[in-house]
Amino acid sequence: MNKNIVQLKAGTTLQNGKYTIEGVCGQGGFGITYKGIQRDLGVNVAIKEFFVNELCFRDATTNTVGITSPSKEHLVDNLRQKFRKEANGLFKLRHKNIVRTIDFFKENDTIYYVMDYINGPSLGKYLKTTAGGVLPEDKAFEFFLQLCDALSYI
């Protein structure tokens, strides 16, 4: 078993070819988010995979995700349940300022959820393009109103 890869490679397919991984968008506490394509519709999607870097490993041959130590199994199971709860909660939300979750599945001994892909930079990357890393007041207010609208909906 070759354990030296973390992320799925570009070109990897999931759900019997329904989704194809195109690259990595980012990695956080619960997992890895990929840019992918939903092949039947030809649309870009974001695919979030449960993969806690410090606690999980990936078999490079099969893409199967395992736990680094049997003593960590209970912790990983608890985190997996939180990830599932996150996906379930997001799936129920339908609002213009909240990314829509459209699918959930199990594969490679882990779980995934699929969201609409939003093309553009993260807020952090956007701030790096502004003068001094600061948003102009009118732009900050616009973002603030969108956030308040989403929070009010939730």
Side-chain angles (χ1 to χ4, degrees):
M1 182 183 314
N2 182 358
K3 299 180 186 180
N4 59 358
I5 65 163
V6 173
Q7 302 160 343
L8 292 171
K9 295 177 184 175
T12 300
T13 61
L14 299 168
Q15 289 291 279
N16 296 314
K18 182 176 182 180
Y19 301 106
T20 300
I21 300 295
E22 293 188 334
V24 175
C25 295
Q27 187 164 353
F30 276 146
I32 304 168
T33 303
Y34 302 94
K35 180 181 179 186
I37 189 163
Q38 200 283 0
R39 293 177 54 145
D40 289 340
L41 299 174
V43 296
N44 288 326
V45 293
I47 303 168
K48 189 167 182 181
E49 173 187 50
F50 178 78
F51 188 98
V52 181
N53 202 31
E54 300 80 28
L55 303 173
C56 297
F57 68 89
R58 182 182 319 278
D59 182 298
T61 305
T62 65
N63 287 327
T64 301
V65 173
I67 301 170
T68 57
S69 167
S71 66
K72 303 293 185 187
E73 191 167 339
H74 182 69
L75 175 59
V76 171
D77 285 343
N78 285 338
L79 293 172
R80 187 180 291 117
Q81 288 306 317
K82 288 181 180 184
F83 183 89
R84 183 187 313 270
K85 187 176 181 180
E86 174 184 291
N88 189 35
L90 289 171
F91 191 80
K92 295 174 184 176
L93 300 176
R94 296 290 183 248
H95 187 275
K96 66 181 180 178
N97 296 331
I98 300 172
V99 177
R100 187 174 60 127
T101 301
I102 55 178
D103 200 0
F104 178 87
F105 59 92
K106 297 177 187 178
E107 193 166 332
N108 299 325
D109 288 339
T110 194
I111 53 180
Y112 301 82
Y113 65 87
V114 182
M115 303 165 283
D116 287 334
Y117 178 78
I118 307 299
N119 192 20
S122 67
L123 180 58
K125 287 181 182 176
Y126 181 78
L127 286 174
K128 289 179 183 177
T129 67
T130 64
V134 178
L135 285 175
E137 187 176 324
D138 60 333
K139 195 61 153 170
F141 188 68
E142 178 187 333
F143 288 166
F144 178 73
L145 289 178
Q146 292 174 15
L147 177 62
C148 287
D149 191 35
L151 289 173
S152 176
Y153 170 78
I154 292 170

